[in-house]
Amino acid sequence: MICSGNMGNSVDLPILFIKIVGDYMDKRIEELLQHLLEEGQHRGDLSELRKMIRENPVEASRIVANHIMDIVPFLADSDAKTRKNAASLLSDILYNTDSSGRHMVAQPLFDAYMKEETLFVRGAYLLALSYCDCEPYMTQFTNRLTFINETDWDETEKKHIREERRELESILSGGSLAGKHSFEHFKK
């Protein structure tokens, strides 16, 4: 729909609407990132950024990807849910962009994965790593998978161990998602 104003200028309303919404989203993401880095409710801010990426995957990921290294320190947060949200946000960014940050976040993600003691967080690290070059970590992944398979796990741990095993098997079988796009990502 094109409207002509009093001045004789015509405006394409859908394009104008998209621009206004896009500008608002850009501003909201920048505000969230600033809040996260300065004072934030880390878990909540990371979760809100993920929500914005789900709503507008490509554009929101592009904006957040410019701050990819600002998210890495949250992989070491004292709160396990914050660590998981940080890893999941990195996964979302890497999935939706051809981010040059892949090589920058691979080692911090791997280090965080190897240090992680909370089972429900480990799968999030592996999913994010699946978008990176995992070749340097294959021996450690193989060793971890062997350990998982040879250990008798408590019933309460089995759900998270199955998730970790699935992600490890995918990476080890050449299922690295680096450069691949699939809407299955958001179902995980």
Side-chain angles (χ1 to χ4, degrees):
M1 167 189 274
I2 297 181
C3 293
S4 295
N6 294 340
M7 308 290 280
N9 297 331
S10 60
V11 178
D12 189 344
L13 289 181
I15 292 173
L16 180 62
F17 177 76
I18 290 168
K19 176 159 178 31
I20 290 170
V21 169
D23 290 347
Y24 170 78
M25 185 186 63
D26 290 1
K27 184 178 179 194
R28 179 68 183 129
I29 289 172
E30 290 295 337
E31 288 171 356
L32 266 172
L33 286 164
Q34 183 149 3
H35 188 257
L36 172 70
L37 299 174
E38 291 178 358
E39 60 191 82
Q41 303 276 334
H42 300 147
R43 185 190 319 170
D45 290 344
L46 292 165
S47 182
E48 185 66 23
L49 286 166
R50 291 196 70 217
K51 179 181 173 197
M52 293 187 84
I53 287 174
R54 281 191 299 276
E55 291 170 357
N56 193 339
V58 176
E59 184 64 19
S61 293
R62 181 192 58 77
I63 296 165
V64 179
N66 292 328
H67 302 275
I68 197 165
M69 292 310 293
D70 293 329
I71 297 162
V72 168
F74 297 105
L75 297 173
D77 195 271
S78 61
D79 177 58
K81 289 181 180 178
T82 297
R83 294 190 305 272
K84 183 174 182 176
N85 282 355
S88 296
L89 178 58
L90 290 171
S91 181
D92 294 345
I93 294 166
L94 297 173
Y95 168 78
N96 286 298
T97 65
D98 293 326
S99 176
S100 60
R102 291 177 199 279
H103 72 282
M104 296 187 300
V105 298
Q107 190 64 51
L109 278 165
F110 176 75
D111 293 344
Y113 167 74
M114 294 303 288
K115 292 176 189 171
E116 187 60 59
E117 295 180 10
T118 307
L119 292 177
F120 79 84
V121 180
R122 295 179 71 86
Y125 291 126
L126 289 170
L127 181 59
L129 278 163
S130 73
Y131 296 104
C132 301
D133 176 14
C134 291
E135 190 61 37
Y137 317 118
M138 294 306 231
T139 300
Q140 291 94 328
F141 289 157
T142 300
N143 293 341
R144 176 67 183 168
L145 184 59
T146 300
F147 174 78
I148 286 172
N149 289 333
E150 293 176 352
T151 301
D152 187 27
W153 296 97
D154 184 80
E155 196 61 39
T156 60
E157 301 168 321
K158 286 184 178 179
K159 172 185 171 188
H160 304 299
I161 290 299
R162 280 192 299 271
E163 178 186 6
E164 184 178 358
R165 178 185 294 126
R166 182 184 68 240
E167 296 296 341
L168 283 168
E169 287 172 344
S170 177
I171 290 170
L172 290 168
S173 69
S176 172
L177 301 171
K180 297 180 185 175
H181 292 258
S182 163
F183 289 106
E184 290 298 310
H185 167 79
F186 286 113
K187 295 179 184 175
K188 292 186 177 185

